[in-house]
């Protein structure tokens, strides 16, 4: 119960967000924290929840009554739930690689409350409305966090884009070179321009794996156990050429575009120039590009293989500058798991191994570990990993601790440390480039619409674009 002095103070005052105590009434849940991150920065305060929605946020002394009160402990910080808009669940069709149950448990264990699933490597790929419904059926009742879906743009499916948009996908992914699976082929330049014009007509978003096929075709092929050889097979120029093409087509068509998993800091000046010119472009990078460097990847360490590749230490620092400057908008996992056999751990052959890093569960501590060393704070990490991804995808009730938002939270202990054990991660297969890596920051609990996610009974929802 509130003390009488507190009750009088609250009753006499209308909160800046438009609520009085009488308006609020009793809450389902109140979380109290000496440290929490809101859009205004880091502050002590409370969050009141009713019906799965944040009803009010305010000073600790003004917290309303609630059926349940959770007091965060010393060293814990209340963050909004992270939003990961780049996850390959691979279900249905390749569920031995991952799956909705395992992927969403891993997400929740890492403080992620919303994911958006990529249109490949599931079978069928999400390139029309019937395939979207197959994927939704596979996910229904099995997700521990909220899940949305991207559609795919492939040769011959231009007519399917608007129906997919109307069915609720958040945008459309395309490749400019072989995707790694034959059922999701790349777009040629003319096809990309045609699809961008189509999307511009209804405000759709194209998200692009931007590597140039011709540039890579002229590079030496990847083979053997040496990482330098793999790095030469996917040169930075391939990213630069492809990004330049996407930006020119976006200028020409007026379409919105998003550059996926930027690995080369050399592309940042052209992206900054395009944005100043009014091109509607957003950019993401990934925790592994901000954490690892080519110099530290040993022979045969195919758990580090991803496309585009992890580049050198100077490039990593360039990506951090891109975040600081605001040219890179957000940080998402590009969680792209597979079975251990496909990683070719036995031979260590970079030419044969599947390219993808499993990092969904450890993205938040991985980024925080590196960010704190460079003078960034938790509000920066929240902006990159919750607020900006939600805004980029159009998830209007996600990514912020503010009235009217979904009551999605991550209780984070930023000063605790742990060593990653791949076998203890919640995703399906025990393979991760982060195995053995010491990281700062432990996720203590994750809350979805005011309910703690335990991993026992799924209560996530399937999301549609608003």
């Amino acid at each position: 119960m509130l003390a009488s002095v507190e009750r009088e103070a609250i009753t006499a005052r209308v909160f800046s967000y438009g609520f009085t105590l009488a308006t609020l009434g009793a809450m389902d849940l109140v979380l109290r924290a000496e440290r929490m991150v809101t859009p205004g920065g880091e502050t002590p305060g409370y969050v009141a929840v009713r019906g799965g929605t944040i009803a009010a946020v305010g000073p600790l002394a003004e917290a309303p009554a609630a059926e349940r009160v959770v007091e965060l402990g010393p060293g814990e910080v209340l963050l909004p739930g992270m939003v990961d808009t780049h996850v390959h669940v691979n279900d249905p069709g390749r569920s031995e690689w991952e799956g909705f149950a395992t992927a969403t448990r891993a997400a929740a264990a890492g403080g992620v409350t919303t994911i958006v699933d990529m249109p490949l490597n599931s079978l069928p790929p999400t390139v029309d409305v019937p395939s979207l419904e197959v994927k939704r059926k596979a996910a229904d009742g099995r997700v521990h966090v909220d899940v949305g879906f991207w559609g795919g743009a492939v040769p011959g499916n231009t007519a399917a884009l608007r129906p997919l948009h109307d069915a609720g996908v958040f945008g459309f992914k395309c490749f400019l070179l072989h995707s790694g699976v034959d059922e999701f082929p790349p777009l040629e330049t003319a096809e990309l321009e045609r699809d961008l014009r189509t999307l511009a007509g209804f405000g759709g978003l194209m998200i692009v794996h931007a590597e140039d096929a011709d540039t890579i075709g002229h590079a030496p092929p990847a083979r053997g156990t040496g990482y330098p050889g793999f790095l030469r097979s996917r040169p930075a120029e391939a990213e630069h050429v492809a990004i330049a093409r996407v930006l020119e087509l976006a200028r020409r068509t007026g379409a919105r575009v998003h550059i996926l998993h930027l690995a080369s800091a050399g592309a940042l000046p052209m992206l900054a120039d395009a944005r100043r010119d009014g091109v509607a472009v957003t950019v993401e990078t990934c925790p592994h590009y901000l954490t690892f460097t080519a110099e530290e990847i040993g022979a045969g360490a195919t758990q580090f293989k991803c496309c585009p590749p992890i580049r050198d230490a100077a490039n990593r620092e360039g990506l951090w500058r891109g975040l600081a400057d605001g040219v890179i908008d957000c940080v998402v996992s590009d969680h792209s798991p597979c079975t251990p056999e496909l990683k070719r751990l036995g031979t260590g052959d970079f030419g044969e191994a599947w390219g993808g890093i499993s990092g969904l569960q450890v993205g938040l501590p991985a980024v925080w570990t590196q960010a704190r060393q460079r003078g960034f704070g938790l509000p920066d990490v929240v902006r990159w990993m919750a607020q900006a991804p939600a805004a980029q995808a159009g998830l209007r009730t996600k990514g912020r601790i503010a009235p009217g938002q979904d009551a999605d939270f991550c209780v984070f202990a930023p000063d605790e440390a742990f060593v990653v054990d791949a076998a203890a991660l919640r995703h399906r297969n025990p393979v991760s480039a982060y195995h053995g890596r010491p990281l700062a920051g432990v996720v203590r609990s994750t809350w979805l619409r005011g309910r703690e996610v335990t991993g026992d009974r799924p209560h996530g929802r399937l999301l549609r674009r608003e």
Side-chain angles (χ1 to χ4, degrees), residues 302 305 341-345 348-356:
T302 54
K305 180 181 176 180
E341 293 77 16
L342 288 175
K343 270 298 186 182
R344 301 293 188 263
L345 298 172
D349 191 317
F350 280 95
E352 295 181 354
W354 175 258

Side-chain angles (χ1 to χ4, degrees), residues 209-235:
H209 181 124
E211 288 183 284
D212 178 62
D214 188 60
T215 303
I216 289 176
H218 285 86
R223 60 169 62 96
T225 62
Y227 188 76
F230 171 62
L231 194 56
R232 287 191 294 271
S233 77
R234 313 286 293 216

Side-chain angles (χ1 to χ4, degrees), residues 292-316:
F292 304 118
T293 65
E295 294 91 336
E296 68 185 287
I297 300 175
T302 54
Q303 65 270 31
F304 290 90
K305 180 181 176 180
C306 57
C307 300
I310 296 163
R311 306 195 187 278
D312 62 26
N315 180 82
R316 179 184 64 178

Side-chain angles (χ1 to χ4, degrees), residues 108-201:
V112 177
T113 52
T114 304
I115 67 170
V116 186
D117 177 45
M118 285 292 168
L120 73 163
N121 305 300
S122 56
L123 293 170
T126 313
V127 295
D128 53 30
V129 172
S131 61
L132 174 64
E133 293 309 314
V134 169
K135 182 166 282 192
R136 282 184 171 145
K137 184 176 180 180
D140 190 31
R142 299 174 59 215
V143 297
H144 296 267
V145 301
D146 286 355
V147 178
F149 302 97
W150 296 108
V154 297
N157 84 323
T158 302
L161 301 181
R162 182 59 188 261
L164 276 167
H165 178 81
D166 292 343
V169 300
F170 287 86
F172 303 90
K173 180 176 186 177
C174 73
F175 280 75
L176 306 184
L177 79 171
H178 194 278
S179 67
V181 291
D182 292 338
E183 69 272 6
F184 200 95
L187 295 178
E188 299 292 340
T189 299
E191 295 169 323
L192 176 59
E193 181 172 0
R194 179 192 62 221
D195 285 357
L196 287 175
R197 291 191 185 281
T198 299
L199 298 187

Side-chain angles (χ1 to χ4, degrees), residues 290 316-324 367 370-371 374 376 384:
L290 299 170
R316 179 184 64 178
E317 298 314 306
L319 293 175
W320 278 104
R321 287 192 296 273
L323 279 168
V367 172
Q370 298 293 321
R374 293 165 175 82
F376 296 105
W384 300 328

Side-chain angles (χ1 to χ4, degrees), residues 395-419:
L395 291 157
R396 298 177 182 174
T397 62
K398 301 293 187 181
R400 296 181 297 139
I401 294 179
Q405 297 283 289
D406 289 348
D408 299 348
F409 309 114
C410 166
V411 177
F412 190 58
D415 297 324
E416 288 197 18
F418 70 105
V419 176

Side-chain angles (χ1 to χ4, degrees), residues 365-437:
V367 172
W368 172 238
T369 299
Q370 298 293 321
R372 71 191 307 197
Q373 294 174 11
R374 293 165 175 82
F376 296 105
L378 283 172
D380 299 306
V381 174
V382 165
R383 185 173 68 255
W384 300 328
M385 302 191 74
Q387 189 170 338
Q392 183 266 330
L395 291 157
R396 298 177 182 174
T397 62
K398 301 293 187 181
R400 296 181 297 139
I401 294 179
Q405 297 283 289
D406 289 348
D408 299 348
F409 309 114
C410 166
V411 177
F412 190 58
D415 297 324
E416 288 197 18
F418 70 105
V419 176
V420 178
D421 177 1
L425 299 176
R426 299 291 186 92
H427 59 70
R428 175 148 293 170
N429 293 293
V431 178
S432 176
Y434 293 94
H435 177 69
R437 189 90 175 185

